[in-house]
Every structure is written in C-alpha cells, then in structure tokens.
Amino acid sequence: QVQLVESGGGLVQPGGSLRLSCAASGSIFSINAMGWYRQAPGKQRELVARITSGGSTNYVDSVKGRFTISRDNAKNTAYLQMNSLKPEDTAVYYCKAVAKRWYSSSWRDYWGQGTQVTVSS
C-alpha cells in the first residue's frame, strides 16, 4: 500500500505563516503529481496547489503569491508554505499523490488523512 501522512497544521493569526508537509511511504515505484486540497465546512474540496514530478506548479487564484508548493523527490515528500494567511484559508488540508506501486501497471490517487488549518485572531 501507499500511505500519505500530513503534518504542520494548527492555529495561526491572520497574516501568519504555516508550512505543511506530506510524506509518502509504502510500496512506491514512482510518484507523478502531488497536490494539496482543502475543504472548509459546508464547502466542496478544492485544489489549492499541484506540482508535477518535473517541478511544474499551478495554484488556485486565491492563494497565488501567498502559497508555495514544493517537493523533495528523494524523500517522496511535498510541502506547502503558506504565508499571509487569511481567515478564509481555514479548512482541512489534504495531500494527494498520483503514484504507481511496485509490480503495478496503473497509476492511482492516494490521499492523506488531512490536517486542520485555522486562521483566527
């Protein structure tokens, strides 16, 4: 199996920063794209940022210029640096990896359990 474990969430004041980490482990042959999603109460889950294995990135408009996604391929880990946080960034943040397991021919989506980010004074 493939497991994703997120960390780094918490409570922060508006204007503050947090750094989320997502570590993938298990029987991983290769990881393609990794992404961060978030889901606020009563809202649908949305893509926040995505990064390919080659390092290409894309962001939802609401976080451009404030959030930065990165990854360490050697560690199978993705990061989300979040600066200038706003109350509307409050949500559960989920990591997703598109990965192929050893001895498998198919790519699959794997999700982490989520980490809470709360932006409040």
Side-chain angles (χ1 to χ4, degrees):
Q1 267 293 4
V2 176
Q3 299 84 34
L4 300 183
V5 178
E6 301 110 331
S7 60
L11 173 63
V12 64
Q13 292 187 342
S17 297
L18 284 174
R19 188 190 193 212
L20 305 183
S21 297
C22 170
S25 62
S27 56
I28 300 169
F29 174 73
S30 181
I31 298 178
N32 191 346
M34 299 186 77
W36 288 96
Y37 292 71
R38 66 186 179 187
Q39 187 166 20
K43 294 187 177 182
Q44 289 189 331
R45 190 174 297 190
E46 66 170 350
L47 173 64
V48 176
R50 178 180 178 271
I51 184 168
T52 67
S53 57
S56 296
T57 60
N58 60 281
Y59 300 88
V60 66
D61 286 346
S62 60
V63 308
K64 285 181 180 177
R66 299 189 297 123
F67 290 10
T68 302
I69 189 171
S70 60
R71 65 189 283 178
D72 183 334
N73 290 330
K75 296 182 179 180
N76 288 334
T77 299
Y79 307 95
L80 186 67
Q81 178 66 44
M82 305 185 294
N83 299 329
S84 302
L85 281 161
K86 303 176 181 180
E88 51 263 44
D89 295 318
T90 295
V92 179
Y93 283 70
Y94 297 91
C95 176
K96 187 184 89 169
V98 181
K100 184 185 292 187
R101 296 172 59 191
W102 285 101
Y103 311 115
S104 172
S105 60
S106 60
W107 295 92
R108 286 187 55 189
D109 292 347
Y110 296 90
W111 290 88
Q113 81 288 352
T115 185
Q116 177 70 46
V117 171
T118 302
V119 184
S120 175
S121 55

